[in-house]
Amino acid sequence: MSRVYNFSAGPSMLPEEVLKKAAAEMLEYKSTGQSVMEMSHRSKEYKEIIDEAEALVRELYNVPDNYKVLFLQGGASTQFAAIPLNFMNGTGKADYIVSGQWGKRAYEEAARYGDVVVTANSVDKNYSYFPKTKKEDFREDADYVYYCMNNTIFGTKAPYIPDTGDIPLITDVSSCFFSEPLDISKFAVVYGGAQKNVAPAGVVIAIVREDMLGKARDITPKMLNWQVHADNGSMYNTPPCYIIYMCKLVLEWIKELGGLEEMKKRNIAKAKILYDFLDSSKMFSSTVVPEDRSLMNVPFVSGDKELDAKLIKEAAEAGFINIKGYKTVGGMRASIYNAMPIEGVEKLVEFLKKFEEENS
Ligand SMILES: *Cc1c(COP(=O)(O)O)cnc(C)c1O
């Protein structure tokens, strides 16, 4: 068996150690005589798994006690509607920073429910930077301010946490989840889909300050009401049991390698190898301004569509898969999440150097 280096934006690579552990426990979890896949979500054994997953979220992010950790379904996209339904119920106003496609989608969904404005955006330069904001930009009576922290498609990361004063701040961290430490106390809600950096597709982890709960609109479907999930320990209905178990294994892996400080160190080192190459290359360049570059998603272009296509094809043949860029940026994108080993990035850069020599 030879495993490829998978640069997919999501679903994406999982740590090999985690896959091996899951494989070893596949037929029988501990001494239960059954797979986690087959377990009742109400069993004592499963309760331990979900409790442990939650405890790891709390430990790694240092989550303050007045926050709930929820495991939700429907992907981040479902939360684009759940967020206004749960939290836009005071003045019915919300302010959005739109720094890429996911923020735009979240804004469009929220706009169906109330008075929603785009406070800042970076569409003028095809989202190649993260817009600057200051406290005065936001409406004082907004129920919340929303932004996407890491723009998976465009490869930007917010270089600062927006100052919103007393207005609750909500952020989508799907593509930078557990990639570095984050001061949760600065936020009312931090949430993200698992399939970029935490687990296979199928669960959203939401960290929500308790005072935000209990304000959902009456029309909110029960399944979208975060209070309902909080009151039921994320077991109002059957949770995605196996995916939550995979979250537990990945979070254990992060803890064992030294937690989020260590994860950040590794992610900086990996990204530097790739950006240094792009900045020195005559053929390829990064599409993002240096100060707002993501550690997770690295789009780059050659400026020549045929050359890009040739590269993507040859890269796949050499075992570097999924480096085709998203259509709105074009070119290539290497997603180098937590599970991508540093060798994967080193070898990709070697490959790109060789390709540049051979094709110029
Ligand atoms: C992938 C992604 C989404 C969409 O997630 P789904 O689980 O497919 O709904 C939302 N936000 C960000 C930042 C993403 O990277």
Side-chain angles (χ1 to χ4, degrees):
M1 183 190 67
S2 84
R3 281 177 54 81
V4 291
Y5 289 113
N6 180 3
F7 294 89
S8 168
S12 39
M13 277 184 89
L14 288 162
E16 206 166 298
E17 296 92 319
V18 166
L19 294 175
K20 284 186 175 146
K21 176 122 200 243
E25 293 180 337
M26 176 61 75
L27 282 181
E28 184 178 29
Y29 177 75
K30 295 197 172 159
S31 300
T32 61
Q34 54 186 319
S35 168
V36 176
M37 288 190 181
E38 303 167 305
M39 257 176 208
S40 161
H41 61 294
R42 306 280 177 205
S43 64
K44 176 171 119 317
E45 291 81 6
Y46 190 73
K47 176 96 174 55
E48 273 172 27
I49 291 173
I50 192 168
D51 287 351
E52 181 63 18
E54 172 174 343
L56 285 160
V57 171
R58 290 185 176 278
E59 183 180 345
L60 289 170
Y61 268 139
N62 237 322
V63 176
D65 288 343
N66 61 325
Y67 285 73
K68 295 276 191 215
V69 173
L70 309 179
F71 296 97
L72 307 168
Q73 297 188 65
S77 299
T78 296
Q79 313 316 320
F80 295 169
I83 283 164
L85 286 167
N86 280 274
F87 308 121
M88 197 166 64
N89 201 16
T91 58
K93 297 180 182 177
D95 289 6
Y96 277 63
I97 301 169
V98 173
S99 54
Q101 168 168 308
W102 296 115
K104 182 160 179 280
R105 285 228 187 138
Y107 156 73
E108 286 166 355
E109 189 71 18
R112 304 174 64 227
Y113 298 104
D115 173 3
V116 180
V117 300
V118 176
T119 304
N121 75 70
S122 49
V123 68
D124 60 331
K125 292 186 178 152
N126 198 29
Y127 301 114
S128 58
Y129 68 100
F130 192 90
K132 307 260 178 302
T133 59
K134 49 188 190 317
K135 199 165 120 186
E136 298 71 45
D137 297 340
F138 303 107
R139 292 179 296 178
E140 261 174 35
D141 60 345
D143 288 329
Y144 64 83
V145 170
Y146 180 103
Y147 75 111
C148 175
M149 190 175 286
N150 184 80
N151 290 287
T152 325
I153 292 174
F154 297 94
T156 63
K157 158 117 198 283
Y160 67 100
I161 296 176
D163 177 6
T164 60
D166 293 333
I167 312 170
L169 182 59
I170 299 181
T171 189
D172 172 359
V173 296
S174 294
S175 52
C176 57
F177 230 175
F178 299 95
S179 63
E180 57 182 305
L182 186 64
D183 182 356
I184 300 294
S185 71
K186 295 245 171 11
F187 299 89
V189 175
V190 172
Y191 82 99
Q195 73 271 25
K196 313 278 159 67
N197 227 353
V198 197
V203 78
V204 162
I205 301 174
I207 304 167
V208 52
R209 211 173 56 214
E210 281 167 0
D211 67 293
M212 296 295 288
L213 295 170
K215 300 176 190 165
R217 296 185 183 194
D218 291 342
I219 59 153
T220 307
K222 271 202 160 173
M223 274 300 291
L224 298 195
N225 189 327
W226 287 19
Q227 173 82 61
V228 169
H229 293 288
D231 288 345
N232 290 279
S234 299
M235 292 220 199
Y236 171 68
N237 72 327
T238 318
C241 304
Y242 194 77
I243 306 301
I244 294 170
Y245 158 77
M246 288 298 290
C247 289
K248 175 183 105 87
L249 295 189
V250 171
L251 298 178
E252 273 169 358
W253 174 80
I254 296 173
K255 182 180 166 179
E256 276 160 28
L257 65 77
L260 296 183
E261 283 294 348
E262 175 63 23
M263 204 71 254
K264 178 181 187 180
K265 244 190 248 166
R266 292 182 183 204
N267 286 328
I268 288 174
K270 280 189 295 183
K272 185 174 184 322
I273 295 169
L274 193 46
Y275 286 121
D276 282 353
F277 165 71
L278 294 173
D279 289 342
S280 67
S281 165
K282 293 198 170 57
M283 179 176 281
F284 302 112
S285 56
S286 159
T287 57
V288 175
V289 298
E291 59 275 21
D292 298 343
R293 287 175 178 173
S294 167
L295 295 178
M296 300 280 102
N297 311 98
V298 184
F300 57 100
V301 292
S302 74
D304 174 342
K305 284 203 170 89
E306 274 173 35
L307 205 56
D308 288 349
K310 183 166 190 263
L311 170 67
I312 291 159
K313 182 167 170 286
E314 290 181 13
E317 285 161 7
F320 307 103
I321 70 164
N322 291 319
I323 65 161
K324 190 172 193 302
Y326 193 79
K327 56 186 184 285
T328 45
V329 180
M332 284 66 65
R333 170 180 52 175
S335 293
I336 49 174
Y337 296 118
N338 288 348
M340 174 60 68
I342 194 158
E343 301 79 47
V345 181
E346 286 166 349
K347 286 185 180 157
L348 175 68
V349 166
E350 251 171 62
F351 175 84
L352 293 172
K353 279 184 182 157
K354 187 158 148 280
F355 183 90
E356 181 168 348
E357 274 164 29
E358 287 169 3
N359 291 277
S360 49

